[in-house]
Amino acid sequence: MKRKANDPRPGWDEYFMEIAQVVAKRSNCSRRQVAAVIVKDNHLLATGYNGTPRGVRNCFAGGCPRCAGKTPSGKGLDECLCVHAEQNAICQAARYGLNVAGGTIYVTLSPCLTCAKLIVNRAWCTAATTRRSWTR
């Protein structure tokens, strides 16, 4: 649905991307704060942010050995315990039995290859980041 020219409210994409920016503030990763918001028919279904798995000490409290160390960016990724925002959002939707097929996932950072494959495999129509959006 298109906005009318005199409507001062943000458009839907801007609205959900701004929600994702707020969700990213919940991240417990000490290196990067990323979020994902899953939406269908302009209704927010699930959110996720990056950080250590449930029951594991938070990253900023030393829960992730990679982030607690001095490993350079892009190196030692196999040592990182943090779960990506996209993965957490998908898990949250699945946990509550939500049908996300045909929806949109808004992500504050371009997904890694693994998360991109999860997004494609989950049958979303659209995925959007702060830099670009693509349609399946």
Side-chain angles (χ1 to χ4, degrees), residues 21-37:
Q21 295 291 342
V22 172
V23 171
K25 293 178 181 181
R26 288 285 306 154
S27 168
N28 71 49
C29 180
S30 59
R31 292 198 175 202
R32 184 176 284 172
Q33 285 66 50
V34 182
V37 172

Side-chain angles (χ1 to χ4, degrees), residues 92-116:
Q92 183 182 15
R95 182 177 187 185
Y96 294 104
L98 300 173
N99 179 6
V100 298
T104 299
I105 185 166
Y106 293 86
V107 187
T108 59
L109 186 72
S110 292
C112 70
L113 180 59
T114 299
C115 287

Side-chain angles (χ1 to χ4, degrees), residues 13-24 35 37 44 47 108:
D13 288 338
E14 183 181 357
Y15 174 70
F16 289 119
M17 193 55 78
E18 287 181 11
I19 290 173
Q21 295 291 342
V22 172
V23 171
V37 172
L44 193 145
T47 65
T108 59

